Amino acid sequence: MEAWGGEEPPLESNPDYTGRTWTPPHRTFGNHLFLNWSNPLLQLEMRSVLELWLSQGIDGFYMKHLENIHVADSDHIAQILHQWRQMLDKYSVNSTRKLLMVSHDSIKYLQSVMDPLTFLAVPPMFDMVDASLNLKSNGSDLRIGGEVEDIRKFWTQFAFTPPIVWHMGSVETMRLNSRIGGDSNMAALFLLTILPGSFSTFYGDEIGMQDSIDLITSEVRQNI
């Protein structure tokens, strides 16, 4: 398979592949290879990768950016996730379940592209949810209450409600201090600690790091 260079990349031979319009992901990092996840051989190879790490005793996986898995049919993602869940369950011992974590944004995307009945089987496969809060500041008023409630309401509709890990910053966002200002930075982090569930803090946000500006290009760059 060739790296994407503006034309549709060739897909491996697959009798189930019926063709689709090729759309490159919204994020690319220097000529990534975009794999055809509908290919059973690729699925088998990736399961062997998971099994290697499970055999070493890890506790689970964070399956991030499921929206960037390229398949011939969106419902194939449910089949792939089911295979992964079965593998993790095989390595679960007694009451210690191997964990599968997903981002809330990925699940919402899958809901928008999958058959509704097929989608209903997807959320219960996960044990933890990573939820990003798009915090905006209006003076001293930090508005996230509605967003928190919407995310919690979405997950309570399923038989099992996984614990939510909240965060306000990552490598994919502007620094928290750059978004809301220094006066609100610590207040936002304190608010994060009292939300129901658990939380993670992007390193550097706890000391108020800001994004920097390239003096030559004037581009904003994240300090990491």
Side-chain angles (χ1 to χ4, degrees):
M1 179 179 293
E2 299 291 331
W4 181 75
E7 299 179 355
E8 178 170 343
L11 295 171
E12 297 92 339
S13 176
N14 179 7
D16 295 328
Y17 181 72
T18 58
R20 62 179 174 82
T21 301
W22 175 257
T23 302
H26 65 284
R27 297 170 61 242
T28 59
F29 294 102
N31 294 328
H32 264 194
L33 297 178
F34 303 132
L35 304 176
N36 173 20
W37 283 83
S38 291
N39 189 316
L41 294 179
L42 174 62
Q43 295 176 22
L44 180 63
E45 183 66 24
M46 292 309 299
R47 288 199 300 274
S48 70
V49 173
L50 298 185
E51 190 154 27
L52 171 65
W53 288 105
L54 287 167
S55 67
Q56 301 302 309
I58 70 165
D59 293 323
F61 300 95
Y62 179 9
M63 300 303 183
K64 195 170 186 179
H65 291 306
L66 293 177
E67 63 272 23
N68 286 343
I69 289 183
H70 294 278
V71 288
D73 186 323
S74 297
D75 289 354
H76 290 177
I77 298 178
Q79 300 170 14
I80 294 169
L81 292 174
H82 180 67
Q83 294 168 1
W84 292 350
R85 181 71 264 173
Q86 284 186 315
M87 178 165 293
L88 267 70
D89 289 344
K90 184 177 73 171
Y91 279 86
S92 299
V93 179
N94 299 325
S95 60
T96 304
R97 176 175 160 110
K98 295 295 184 180
L99 302 178
L100 202 56
M101 186 175 183
V102 68
S103 75
H104 177 72
D105 291 340
S106 289
I107 286 292
K108 292 293 289 183
Y109 170 80
L110 294 181
Q111 184 184 36
S112 71
V113 298
M114 294 177 67
D115 174 79
L117 290 179
T118 302
F119 171 77
L120 287 177
V122 172
M125 298 182 194
F126 294 96
D127 307 285
M128 299 181 70
V129 179
D130 180 40
S132 174
L133 296 174
N134 184 26
L135 186 63
K136 298 178 181 179
S137 176
N138 178 18
S140 60
D141 185 11
L142 304 178
R143 301 177 181 273
I144 61 170
E147 192 174 4
V148 170
E149 184 60 28
D150 288 345
I151 293 173
R152 295 186 67 198
K153 184 177 180 180
F154 173 83
W155 286 97
T156 54
Q157 66 182 301
F158 304 108
F160 169 71
T161 303
I164 299 175
V165 181
W166 307 94
H167 75 267
M168 296 181 180
S170 70
V171 295
E172 299 169 318
T173 65
M174 291 178 61
R175 282 280 180 187
L176 181 62
N177 200 1
S178 296
R179 298 204 315 267
I180 66 175
D183 292 340
S184 301
N185 188 76
M186 291 308 296
L189 292 177
F190 175 76
L191 181 61
L192 192 64
T193 66
I194 62 175
L195 293 176
S198 58
F199 70 95
S200 65
T201 302
F202 184 49
Y203 62 93
D205 282 351
E206 77 284 357
I207 59 174
M209 285 185 66
Q210 293 184 324
D211 296 319
S212 60
I213 299 178
D214 190 303
L215 296 179
I216 298 177
T217 65
S218 297
E219 293 181 351
V220 176
R221 300 182 182 276
Q222 187 183 66
N223 284 321
I224 56 175

